[in-house]
Amino acid sequence: MSRGFSTTGTRRFAWARAASTWLVVLLVVGCATRPVNPPIAKWQPSPYELQRSTSDAVQRDNLIILAFSGGGTRAAAFSYGVLEALRDIEIQGPLGRKGRLLDQVDIITGVSGGSFTALAYGLYGDKLFDDYEKRFLKRNVQGELIARFFNPIYWGDMSSVGRGRSEVAADLYDEVLFNGATFADLHKAGGPFINVSATDIASGSRFVFNEQNFDVLCANLGPIRLSRAALARSTARLGR
């Protein structure tokens, strides 16, 4: 009799624990919401677009554009090497002033792995060379991302129509590299003009994260996190 009672009690306890677990998951899912791009309340001239000051134009007679291709971590590492090389090359400007070739760069475009380096350099400038390798290139970001996908703590977000795996990945990229920075922060940094792009799944066309495109969408680019822009093209390829 005591054995039968003990078995029944154990089953009831296991059922109650399972029910409680699913209840918690459902509650978390119900709380998950998709980030919505803030609308434009009033149109104003873009604060983040390619502009050269008059004094800058006198010192520089060339327009230098870097294009960072995709290819996961390999692309991020290659583009980082390009920045290092340009940093170490000294040139002489039209008025005889010497300086680094890297400081002459006006625009950097990037897709996939290259977009991480482009955005990070635009945000941090020379500080990027202090810890980019350790913080991002030599870190198993793909492994950490997969670990989160199998962690019950993140299942609520991933199963939500409002968020999904993309936002979980964006949160990780913020922790690893971008620290929650937005395009408004990128503008304040004062570095080269950064253009990263993704592909519109519906039409297959290229979409560039710039003020002009967001104006057409009546959305505000400033509050958009850099991690989401980098993620838009790179989730499937990071780590290859």
Side-chain angles (χ1 to χ4, degrees), residues 153-219:
I153 295 177
Y154 301 98
W155 289 353
D157 277 347
M158 289 188 293
S159 60
S160 169
V161 177
R163 279 179 59 85
R165 293 183 300 173
S166 294
E167 292 306 315
V168 173
D171 291 343
L172 175 61
Y173 297 152
D174 268 330
E175 295 174 20
V176 171
L177 185 59
F178 296 114
N179 298 319
T182 65
F183 277 90
D185 297 316
L186 192 63
H187 168 63
K188 293 177 184 177
F193 184 68
I194 308 297
N195 257 357
V196 297
S197 61
T199 301
D200 186 330
I201 297 178
S203 63
S205 60
R206 178 172 173 259
F207 179 83
V208 181
F209 284 80
N210 60 28
E211 195 72 41
Q212 291 77 12
N213 285 339
F214 273 73
D215 285 346
V216 172
L217 297 173
C218 294

Side-chain angles (χ1 to χ4, degrees), residues 132-150:
Y132 188 61
E133 289 186 66
K134 179 180 178 181
R135 190 174 181 181
F136 184 70
L137 294 180
K138 295 181 179 180
R139 183 167 176 171
N140 186 10
V141 179
Q142 185 180 39
E144 292 184 42
L145 187 58
I146 293 174
R148 292 199 176 193
F149 290 162
F150 284 96

Side-chain angles (χ1 to χ4, degrees), residues 13-23:
F13 175 76
W15 182 89
R17 183 171 59 181
S20 299
T21 300
W22 279 108
L23 178 61

